Coordinates of all heavy atoms in Angstrom, one line a residue:
H1 N 41.8 133.7 56.5 CA 42.1 132.9 57.7 C 41.6 131.5 57.7 O 41.3 130.9 58.7 CB 41.5 133.6 58.9 CG 41.9 135.1 59.1 ND1 43.2 135.5 59.5 CD2 41.2 136.2 58.8 CE1 43.2 136.8 59.4 NE2 42.1 137.3 59.0
G2 N 41.6 130.9 56.4 CA 41.2 129.5 56.3 C 39.8 129.2 56.5 O 39.4 128.1 56.6
R3 N 39.0 130.3 56.7 CA 37.6 130.1 57.0 C 36.8 129.8 55.7 O 36.7 130.7 54.8 CB 37.0 131.3 57.7 CG 37.6 131.5 59.0 CD 36.9 132.5 59.9 NE 37.6 133.0 61.0 CZ 38.2 134.1 61.2 NH1 38.2 135.0 60.2 NH2 38.9 134.4 62.3
V4 N 36.3 128.6 55.5 CA 35.6 128.3 54.3 C 34.5 127.3 54.7 O 34.6 126.5 55.7 CB 36.5 127.6 53.3 CG1 37.1 126.4 53.8 CG2 35.8 127.4 52.0
E5 N 33.4 127.2 54.0 CA 32.3 126.3 54.3 C 32.9 124.9 54.1 O 33.4 124.5 53.1 CB 31.2 126.5 53.4 CG 30.1 125.4 53.4 CD 29.5 125.3 54.8 OE1 29.2 126.3 55.4 OE2 29.3 124.1 55.3
P6 N 32.9 124.0 55.2 CA 33.5 122.7 55.1 C 33.1 121.9 53.9 O 33.8 121.1 53.4 CB 33.2 122.0 56.5 CG 33.0 123.2 57.4 CD 32.4 124.3 56.6
A7 N 31.8 122.0 53.6 CA 31.3 121.2 52.5 C 32.0 121.5 51.1 O 31.9 120.7 50.2 CB 29.8 121.4 52.3
L8 N 32.6 122.7 51.1 CA 33.4 123.0 49.8 C 34.7 122.2 49.7 O 35.2 122.1 48.6 CB 33.6 124.5 49.8 CG 32.4 125.4 49.6 CD1 32.8 126.9 49.7 CD2 31.7 125.1 48.3
V9 N 35.2 121.8 50.8 CA 36.5 121.1 50.7 C 36.5 119.6 51.2 O 37.4 118.9 50.9 CB 37.6 121.8 51.6 CG1 37.8 123.2 51.0 CG2 37.2 121.9 53.0
I10 N 35.4 119.3 51.9 CA 35.3 117.9 52.4 C 34.0 117.3 51.6 O 33.0 117.9 51.6 CB 35.1 117.8 53.9 CG1 36.4 118.2 54.6 CG2 34.6 116.4 54.3 CD1 36.3 118.1 56.1
G11 N 34.2 116.1 51.0 CA 33.1 115.5 50.3 C 33.2 115.7 48.8 O 32.2 115.7 48.1
L12 N 34.4 115.9 48.3 CA 34.6 116.1 46.8 C 34.5 114.9 46.1 O 34.2 114.9 44.9 CB 36.0 116.8 46.6 CG 36.3 118.1 47.2 CD1 37.7 118.6 46.9 CD2 35.3 119.2 46.8
G13 N 34.7 113.7 46.7 CA 34.6 112.4 46.0 C 35.5 112.3 44.8 O 35.1 111.6 43.8
A14 N 36.7 112.8 44.9 CA 37.6 112.8 43.7 C 38.2 111.5 43.4 O 38.5 111.2 42.3 CB 38.7 113.9 43.9
A15 N 38.4 110.6 44.4 CA 39.1 109.3 44.2 C 40.4 109.6 43.5 O 40.7 109.0 42.4 CB 38.3 108.3 43.5
A16 N 41.2 110.6 44.0 CA 42.3 111.1 43.2 C 43.4 110.0 42.9 O 44.1 110.2 41.9 CB 43.0 112.2 44.1
E17 N 43.4 109.0 43.7 CA 44.4 107.9 43.5 C 44.2 107.2 42.2 O 45.0 106.5 41.7 CB 44.5 107.0 44.7 CG 43.3 106.0 44.8 CD 42.1 106.7 45.6 OE1 42.1 107.9 45.8 OE2 41.2 105.9 45.9
T18 N 43.0 107.3 41.6 CA 42.6 106.6 40.4 C 42.9 107.4 39.1 O 42.8 106.9 38.0 CB 41.1 106.2 40.4 OG1 40.3 107.4 40.3 CG2 40.8 105.5 41.6
D19 N 43.3 108.7 39.2 CA 43.6 109.5 38.0 C 44.9 110.2 38.1 O 45.0 111.4 37.8 CB 42.5 110.4 37.7 CG 42.3 111.6 38.7 OD1 42.9 111.5 39.8 OD2 41.7 112.6 38.3
L20 N 46.0 109.5 38.6 CA 47.3 110.1 38.7 C 47.8 110.7 37.4 O 48.5 111.7 37.4 CB 48.3 109.1 39.3 CG 48.1 108.7 40.7 CD1 49.0 107.5 41.1 CD2 48.4 109.9 41.6
A21 N 47.5 110.1 36.3 CA 48.0 110.6 35.0 C 47.5 112.0 34.7 O 48.1 112.7 33.9 CB 47.6 109.6 33.9
A22 N 46.4 112.4 35.3 CA 45.8 113.7 35.0 C 46.4 114.8 35.9 O 46.0 115.9 35.9 CB 44.3 113.7 35.2
R23 N 47.4 114.4 36.8 CA 48.0 115.3 37.7 C 49.5 115.4 37.4 O 50.3 114.7 38.0 CB 47.8 114.8 39.1 CG 46.3 114.7 39.5 CD 46.0 113.9 40.7 NE 44.6 113.6 40.8 CZ 43.7 114.4 41.4 NH1 44.1 115.5 42.1 NH2 42.4 114.0 41.4
P24 N 49.9 116.3 36.5 CA 51.3 116.4 36.1 C 52.2 116.9 37.2 O 51.7 117.6 38.1 CB 51.2 117.5 34.9 CG 50.0 118.2 35.2 CD 49.0 117.3 35.8
S25 N 53.4 116.6 37.1 CA 54.4 117.0 38.1 C 55.8 117.2 37.5 O 56.1 116.5 36.6 CB 54.5 115.9 39.2 OG 55.5 116.1 40.1

């Protein structure tokens, strides 16, 4: 039911926009 400790999904610090090449599509 989507219940998860918020700290597990918020605060990852991934800066995903800087490593697009590592995200195949």
Side-chain angles (χ1 to χ4, degrees):
H1 306 287
R3 298 191 190 105
V4 63
E5 173 58 44
L8 292 176
V9 296
I10 291 180
L12 299 180
E17 71 276 12
T18 66
D19 72 340
L20 287 172
R23 300 167 191 267
S25 171

